[in-house]
């Protein structure tokens, strides 16, 4: 069953969602995902070589650069060089207190925590495997993977319903969550759950069109309602706002279909398509209205009126950490350790911040100007690839990939969606969808039933 590349890709996505939604605190669960990725990369060494040799140069370069960043930070530096890096004076003091050692007594890696940075590198193996396995899939195999992602999203909602309605942590995969009535699904962070469901909605909207009011069309409409309801049950404000992306995508596609059919002389089909779109909007509105009024969704909407917000205080202290390690950074994955040095006493709470709650600020702490440059290059590549994909026959899956990357980028302003294996793999799939749309050698695509 799993001898073909598309099936192996689907299995990896499933494993990533089941085991990789907990973040760095769940090392053993993440290890399951990483071992699966290493196995697939070993089985497809030739495909990895083809990706590096035949994929768009900018994409291949960005993948290599992203993987190289934590590896370079692990390289040992001579004492004189390491001691001059910004922010390393605290490490010198710690070494002196511990055993009287100084940086003059040996070589040290660029990063202030080798273990954290190594974990950060290992976390990139699963998304690498997703890109390598997905970038040359044919249309049929791509559609199957998209269907699988939607089904995982629906399973996420169903598990979340058990969590919302259950008592005493029923259905929770990550027991430390103390938010009764909130949908987490396969994730430890409800914001990650919400953005994942938004991504599933984008993929759902990009699936092959069905005749309005047909059985398939109604099934897709029902799936959309469940996914939207799931987003509201997470009570994630960022994810609720991001619902505008799949809504805009659906309107764009319905409008394009209506225009195509009108140009083709089928006004009746155009009218049916427009009617179908209106019915979907009405059905979604009715679902939310019925579920509102004193319900958990009403509670979710009420969160927009709350003023207690600790992120600005974390951001303020994070800026001091950025200045301390600028322009080189402290090392990928080290934020939680170095942030405590610059955390103000007036901002300390019983819980550790853990993250900057703004991934751009966190990357600035960990990788400095180089990390921010890598992020900017990814944004430029995505914009260019999206523009090129818009005029190809594969434009709808590709534009869904664009929407996924936009959702991740926007939520990164207030959270850290790519700090778990599951969302890293979903973002990698979005990259593959964009890459696939830009390929001109369609005959070289891997067929859905092809072997390794």
């Amino acid at each position: 069953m799993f001898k073909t590349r598309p099936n192996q890709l689907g299995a990896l996505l499933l494993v990533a969602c089941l085991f990789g939604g907990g973040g760095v605190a769940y090392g053993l669960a993440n290890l399951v995902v990483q071992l699966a990725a290493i196995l697939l990369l070993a089985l497809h060494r030739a495909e990895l070589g083809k990706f590096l040799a035949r994929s768009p140069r900018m994409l291949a370069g960005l993948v290599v650069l992203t993987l190289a960043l934590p590896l370079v930070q692990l390289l040992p530096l001579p004492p004189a060089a390491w001691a001059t890096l910004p922010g390393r004076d605290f490490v010198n003091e710690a070494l002196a207190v511990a055993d009287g050692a100084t940086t003059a007594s040996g070589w040290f890696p660029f990063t202030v925590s080798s273990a954290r940075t190594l974990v950060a590198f290992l976390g990139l193996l699963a998304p690498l495997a997703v890109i390598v396995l997905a970038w040359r899939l044919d249309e049929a195999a791509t559609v199957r993977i998209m269907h699988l992602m939607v089904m995982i999203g629906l399973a996420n909602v169903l598990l979340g319903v058990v969590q919302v309605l259950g008592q005493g942590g029923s259905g929770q995969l990550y027991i430390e969550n103390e938010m009764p009535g909130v949908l987490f699904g396969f994730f430890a962070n409800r914001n990650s759950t919400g953005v994942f469901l938004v991504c599933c909605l984008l993929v759902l909207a990009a699936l092959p069109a069905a005749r309005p009011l047909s059985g398939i069309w109604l099934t897709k409409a029902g799936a959309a309602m469940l996914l939207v309801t799931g987003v509201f049950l997470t009570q994630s404000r960022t994810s609720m706002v991001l619902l505008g992306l799949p809504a805009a995508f659906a309107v764009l596609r319905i409008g394009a279909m209506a225009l195509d059919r009108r140009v083709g002389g089928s006004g009746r089909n155009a009218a049916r398509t427009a009617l179908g779109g209106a019915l979907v909007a009405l059905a979604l509105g009715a679902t939310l209205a019925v579920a509102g009024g004193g319900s958990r969704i009403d509670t979710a909407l009420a969160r927009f009126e709350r003023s207690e917000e600790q992120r600005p205080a974390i951001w303020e202290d994070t800026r001091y950490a950025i200045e301390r390690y600028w322009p080189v950074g402290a090392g990928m994955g080290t934020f939680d350790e170095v942030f405590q040095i610059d955390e103000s006493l007036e901002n300390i709470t019983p819980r550790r911040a853990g993250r900057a709650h703004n991934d751009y600020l966190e990357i600035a702490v960990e990788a400095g100007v180089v990390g921010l440059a890598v992020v900017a290059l990814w944004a430029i590549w995505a914009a260019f690839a999206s523009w090129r994909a818009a005029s190809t026959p594969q434009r709808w899956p590709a534009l869904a990939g664009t929407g996924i990357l936009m959702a991740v980028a926007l939520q990164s302003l207030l959270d850290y969606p790519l700090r778990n294996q599951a969302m890293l793999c979903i973002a990698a799939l979005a990259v593959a969808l964009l890459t696939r749309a830009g390929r001109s050698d369609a005959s070289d695509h891997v067929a859905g039933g092809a072997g390794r």
Side-chain angles (χ1 to χ4, degrees):
M1 178 179 180
F2 297 107
K3 292 183 178 180
T4 64
R5 191 174 307 158
N7 289 342
Q8 292 170 350
L9 171 62
L12 178 58
L13 291 174
L14 184 60
V15 169
C17 290
L18 289 177
F19 294 93
V24 70
Y26 299 89
L28 291 179
N30 291 334
L31 181 62
V32 174
V33 182
Q34 292 157 8
L35 289 176
I38 292 171
L39 174 61
L40 291 178
L41 288 172
L43 291 174
H44 296 284
R45 296 185 302 276
E47 188 63 24
L48 175 59
K50 288 180 181 179
F51 170 77
L52 295 175
R54 300 185 189 179
S55 64
R57 293 296 84 202
M58 186 174 181
L59 174 63
L62 278 172
V63 169
V64 172
L65 183 60
T66 303
L67 291 167
L69 180 57
L71 286 179
V72 169
Q73 293 177 337
L74 288 169
L75 294 176
L77 298 175
W82 190 89
T84 61
L85 294 176
R88 270 58 179 186
D89 49 331
F90 284 102
V91 181
N92 285 330
E93 295 175 8
L95 289 171
V97 171
D99 56 8
T102 67
T103 54
S105 64
W107 289 42
F108 290 85
F110 176 98
T111 175
V112 300
S113 176
S114 299
R116 293 276 190 170
T117 302
L118 178 60
V119 169
F121 168 75
L122 294 175
L124 297 175
L125 296 179
L128 172 64
V130 170
I131 293 176
V132 169
L133 293 174
W135 79 290
R136 289 197 312 133
L137 293 182
D138 66 9
E139 183 176 359
T142 301
V143 169
R144 292 210 307 272
I145 293 298
M146 293 167 67
H147 274 109
L148 174 64
M149 181 173 165
V150 173
M151 287 189 287
I152 294 175
L154 294 174
N156 205 337
V157 174
L158 293 178
L159 175 61
V161 169
V162 176
Q163 297 168 350
V164 169
L165 300 179
Q167 300 292 332
S170 299
Q172 291 285 357
L173 300 183
Y174 303 97
I175 304 300
E176 83 281 4
N177 294 321
E178 298 179 359
M179 296 183 182
V182 174
L183 189 150
F184 284 90
F186 300 137
F187 294 84
N189 182 344
R190 60 180 172 179
N191 292 325
S192 296
T193 308
V195 76
F196 173 71
L197 296 179
V198 168
C199 294
C200 292
L201 280 164
L202 286 161
V203 169
L204 178 64
L207 287 172
R211 184 173 58 86
L213 307 182
S214 65
I216 296 177
W217 186 93
L218 292 173
T219 300
K220 291 173 65 175
M225 293 179 205
L226 285 174
L227 292 171
V228 170
T229 302
V231 172
F232 277 88
L233 290 178
T234 65
Q235 298 187 27
S236 166
R237 289 170 289 186
T238 57
S239 301
M240 286 185 259
V241 172
L242 290 175
L243 282 174
L245 288 176
F249 185 91
V251 170
L252 175 64
R253 189 170 188 197
I254 290 172
M257 290 168 57
L259 180 61
D260 289 343
R261 289 170 178 170
R262 181 168 294 144
V263 171
S266 179
R268 179 177 299 178
N269 286 338
R272 291 184 67 182
T273 302
L275 174 62
L279 287 175
V280 170
L282 288 174
L284 289 175
T287 299
L288 297 179
V290 170
S295 70
R296 290 181 173 88
I297 291 181
D298 192 41
T299 302
L301 293 174
R303 292 195 69 235
F304 285 97
E305 302 177 1
R306 298 179 187 174
S307 60
E308 71 274 10
E309 181 58 77
Q310 296 183 353
R311 286 186 179 94
I314 295 174
W315 297 338
E316 180 182 357
D317 292 338
T318 299
R319 284 193 286 270
Y320 286 103
I322 293 173
E323 293 174 2
R324 182 181 302 280
Y325 296 98
W326 187 262
V328 297
M332 293 301 297
T334 62
F335 175 85
D336 187 34
E337 295 187 358
V338 303
F339 174 75
Q340 298 174 64
I341 298 173
D342 292 295
E343 188 174 15
S344 303
L345 291 176
E346 59 267 26
N347 294 334
I348 291 178
T349 65
R351 297 182 62 182
R352 291 169 62 171
R355 297 289 185 187
H357 296 271
N358 179 313
D359 236 357
Y360 305 106
L361 293 179
E362 190 161 334
I363 289 173
V365 172
E366 296 179 342
V369 66
V370 174
L372 294 178
V374 172
V375 172
L377 288 173
W378 272 112
I380 293 171
W381 173 84
F384 175 76
S386 301
W387 178 265
R388 183 175 56 179
S391 60
T392 67
Q394 304 90 15
R395 61 182 176 275
W396 296 117
L399 292 178
T402 302
I404 291 172
L405 296 178
M406 287 181 62
V408 168
L410 290 172
Q411 195 182 71
S412 294
L413 291 168
L414 297 171
D415 208 68
Y416 41 94
L418 291 185
R419 298 290 177 159
N420 64 76
Q421 293 286 271
M423 281 306 303
L424 274 171
C425 288
I426 298 304
L429 181 62
V431 169
L433 291 175
L434 275 172
T435 308
R436 175 183 169 274
R439 287 179 55 84
S440 58
D441 52 338
S443 61
D444 190 40
H445 286 190
V446 178
R452 289 184 292 171

